[in-house]
Amino acid sequence: MSFVWESTVFTIIAFLLLLWLLSKYALGPLMGVMEQRRQLVQDQMKTAEESRLQASQQLEEQKQALQQARKEAYDIIEQSKLTSTKQADDIMQSAKAEATRLKNEAVSDIEVEKNKAIAALRSQVGGMSVMIASKIIEKQIDEKSQEQLVDQYLKEVESK
């Protein structure tokens, strides 16, 4: 076996030509497709990361909104409790004031009726005293008869 230069040179030229054709028509487009694929994967990863960040941000915003809503609900409940307590106190105060007013009216009505009764009793006692005195003067009776007459008139007054 001998070494043939021509065949080695021809093989090297054929190999270089094949390498050039493969790089131009096969490896170039293949590398382009691979680069596009790499770029697509990077874009998708970037988009996924942005989506994850947006979702995280929205979740945080929703948590804050929920926390704010809970705080507002708590404030509304507390305000309602204060309002109801104030209304209950107002109702109690007005009821006490009304009771005091009614009591005062009743006391004044009782006082008026008492004064009327005393005035009526005085007029009746005065009239009876005059009648007793006139009968005593008319009869000129002794002390025992006079006592019986006074007792009789007092019984009449009690019955009236």
Side-chain angles (χ1 to χ4, degrees):
M1 198 161 158
S2 73
F3 183 68
V4 182
W5 277 96
E6 294 94 21
S7 130
T8 302
V9 171
F10 181 71
T11 303
I12 290 177
I13 292 175
F15 178 74
L16 289 176
L17 181 64
L18 181 62
L19 185 62
W20 179 75
L21 287 173
L22 280 176
S23 67
K24 182 166 175 124
Y25 293 108
L27 290 179
L30 182 62
M31 288 298 184
V33 168
M34 293 295 280
E35 181 62 29
Q36 287 177 350
R37 175 81 175 151
R38 186 186 66 78
Q39 189 65 36
L40 178 66
V41 169
Q42 282 182 341
D43 290 345
Q44 287 177 345
M45 286 176 56
K46 187 177 178 183
T47 304
E49 181 64 22
E50 289 174 358
S51 296
R52 188 189 65 77
L53 289 174
Q54 285 179 349
S56 174
Q57 186 180 15
Q58 288 177 350
L59 179 65
E60 195 61 36
E61 288 174 1
Q62 287 177 353
K63 284 181 182 178
Q64 289 175 356
L66 181 62
Q67 208 170 28
Q68 182 67 23
R70 284 183 181 158
K71 183 182 180 295
E72 288 174 3
Y74 179 77
D75 291 345
I76 289 171
I77 289 169
E78 287 300 314
Q79 185 64 33
S80 297
K81 285 179 183 177
L82 291 175
T83 302
S84 64
T85 302
K86 185 176 182 259
Q87 286 177 346
D89 290 344
D90 291 346
I91 290 170
M92 289 295 290
Q93 287 177 355
S94 66
K96 285 179 183 178
E98 182 67 17
T100 303
R101 184 187 65 79
L102 291 174
K103 178 184 167 194
N104 291 339
E105 284 181 7
V107 167
S108 67
D109 288 347
I110 289 170
E111 189 66 31
V112 167
E113 290 299 320
K114 176 182 154 189
N115 290 338
K116 284 181 184 178
I118 289 173
L121 187 60
R122 280 185 184 166
S123 69
Q124 286 179 356
V125 168
M128 286 187 181
S129 295
V130 170
M131 272 184 12
I132 290 173
S134 66
K135 285 193 178 186
I136 289 176
I137 291 175
E138 283 177 9
K139 285 196 173 182
Q140 286 296 326
I141 53 173
D142 63 354
E143 199 173 302
K144 189 176 180 181
S145 300
Q146 189 176 0
E147 242 179 69
Q148 287 176 350
L149 189 60
V150 169
D151 286 339
Q152 178 185 356
Y153 283 117
L154 286 177
K155 286 180 185 176
E156 285 180 25
V157 167
E158 286 177 3
S159 66
K160 291 184 179 180

